Amino acid sequence: MSVNTKLYEGKAKILYTTDDPEVLLADFKDDATAFNAQKRGSIQGKGGINCTISSHLFEQLAAYGIKTHFIDCPAPNQMRVRAVKILPLEVVVRNIAAGSLCQQTGLQIGTVLRQPLVEFYYKDDQLGDPLLTRDRLRLLKLATEEQVDSIIHLALQINDFLQKFWQQCGITLVDFKLEFGVDSQQQLLLADEISPDTCRLWDIAETDPNRRVMDKDRFRRDLGNVENAYQEVLQRVLQVVENQNYSKVLSPES
Ligand code: 5GP
């Protein structure tokens, strides 16, 4: 395969090969989709913002002991990553009831969950990313038992870290989606991105249910000021990263 061949184009990113078969280049797009791509649009500057936020979070998670696919950022909207085979799973961690959890269970939005909920969804647009049970995961052989156990453990560790990180930004981490991949050495790595596209983020200082939203729900629900919200999240992340060395403070060994 030649250098910089387009390998795959998704809804939010384009993946290119590089001269190293173990390394891919992810180009983050400004395109935005929601509701299984039934709603389409663009959020100006989103690619650079999401790539920059994700790269800082991946760096900090690596320092916290979480293995990720992140290598570096050659440009604000480009990330070099370890080549992995993505498991066809969307791993969602929830701290507060919102979104599909409320729609499917009747729980009131904003209900604080007694303990984080880790859920698996089948990453399949044609099927509409359905919620999976562990038995269905096993039936479809989407991951090994060992991988599922590791993912649950990692997802909870990542949640512990991210909750504290976002709190330092003045933001409540409501829920988020993770993806994992397996590299050529069969190592399980955190992949994809962690950004306002993949997390529900509520401004701690705001109680108004619409004004507090700082994530892709502004686009999904036509709340307006989408670009401003993404920019504000980036500025807060940059400030926290500059001011503190989280890897030492929040290390599991400390
Ligand atoms: P829900 O299941 O409530 O729609 O989503 C739960 C969390 O996972 C939200 O933070 C949402 O942003 C994220 N999430 C779930 N599925 C997707 C997806 O297909 N794409 C993106 N960008 N985020 C998702």
Side-chain angles (χ1 to χ4, degrees):
M1 224 175 288
S2 65
V3 178
N4 291 341
T5 300
K6 194 197 274 193
L7 198 61
Y8 166 81
E9 178 157 4
K11 285 173 274 189
K13 291 182 278 298
I14 305 174
L15 276 182
Y16 296 96
T17 59
T18 69
D19 51 1
D20 181 344
E22 300 282 336
V23 175
L24 300 177
L25 182 74
D27 197 300
F28 285 58
K29 304 195 286 186
D30 287 355
D31 297 356
T33 61
F35 312 120
N36 208 3
Q38 286 172 50
K39 181 180 169 88
R40 289 174 183 275
S42 171
I43 301 171
Q44 206 193 344
K46 177 173 87 79
I49 291 172
N50 283 357
C51 181
T52 306
I53 292 172
S54 293
S55 65
H56 284 298
L57 293 176
F58 282 142
E59 266 179 355
Q60 302 226 354
L61 281 165
Y64 188 65
I66 305 287
K67 291 192 175 80
T68 85
H69 72 157
F70 175 75
I71 300 173
D72 59 17
C73 284
N77 69 328
Q78 290 189 335
M79 188 185 286
R80 292 196 317 136
V81 297
R82 302 246 148 253
V84 292
K85 190 166 184 296
I86 295 281
L87 299 174
L89 296 172
E90 296 193 343
V91 182
V92 170
V93 183
R94 302 178 191 270
N95 298 304
I96 294 176
S100 69
L101 180 63
C102 295
Q103 284 153 21
Q104 292 169 10
T105 64
L107 270 176
Q108 277 280 103
I109 185 169
T111 306
V112 177
L113 307 184
R114 270 197 305 266
Q115 58 188 55
L117 189 60
V118 180
E119 298 177 327
F120 291 87
Y121 293 81
Y122 190 8
K123 192 172 149 64
D124 186 312
D125 285 342
Q126 286 201 326
L127 296 174
D129 297 344
L131 180 64
L132 290 166
T133 61
R134 186 138 185 171
D135 281 345
R136 286 187 180 187
L137 252 161
R138 205 174 282 136
L139 173 76
L140 299 172
K141 296 193 172 78
L142 300 176
T144 65
E145 294 291 322
E146 199 190 357
Q147 282 170 339
V148 175
D149 288 338
S150 299
I151 287 172
I152 294 170
H153 182 70
L154 286 167
L156 290 170
Q157 271 193 304
I158 293 165
N159 184 47
D160 282 346
F161 176 85
L162 289 180
Q163 273 191 303
K164 290 175 190 145
F165 181 89
W166 286 118
Q167 194 175 34
Q168 296 298 314
C169 299
I171 289 172
T172 301
L173 177 61
V174 174
D175 58 31
F176 57 99
K177 184 256 307 179
L178 300 172
E179 293 186 23
F180 291 86
V182 179
D183 72 7
S184 59
Q185 272 93 56
Q186 296 308 304
Q187 277 203 110
L188 187 65
L189 303 182
L190 176 63
D192 195 44
E193 64 179 281
I194 305 175
S195 72
D197 265 14
T198 61
C199 302
R200 278 201 176 90
L201 304 170
W202 290 352
D203 191 346
I204 289 174
E206 276 288 353
T207 50
D208 180 88
N210 290 341
R211 276 207 301 267
R212 70 185 173 190
V213 174
M214 303 184 78
D215 56 73
K216 196 172 165 188
D217 274 353
R218 296 207 75 82
F219 169 78
R220 293 187 186 106
R221 294 165 46 203
D222 292 319
L223 296 177
N225 284 325
V226 187
E227 280 88 0
N228 289 350
Y230 275 62
Q231 266 296 343
E232 175 65 22
V233 174
L234 172 65
Q235 292 315 314
R236 292 192 195 187
V237 167
L238 293 178
Q239 204 162 20
V240 167
V241 169
E242 272 169 26
N243 291 346
Q244 299 196 22
N245 185 342
Y246 274 87
S247 57
K248 284 195 184 121
V249 178
L250 302 176
S251 158
E253 282 84 39
S254 67

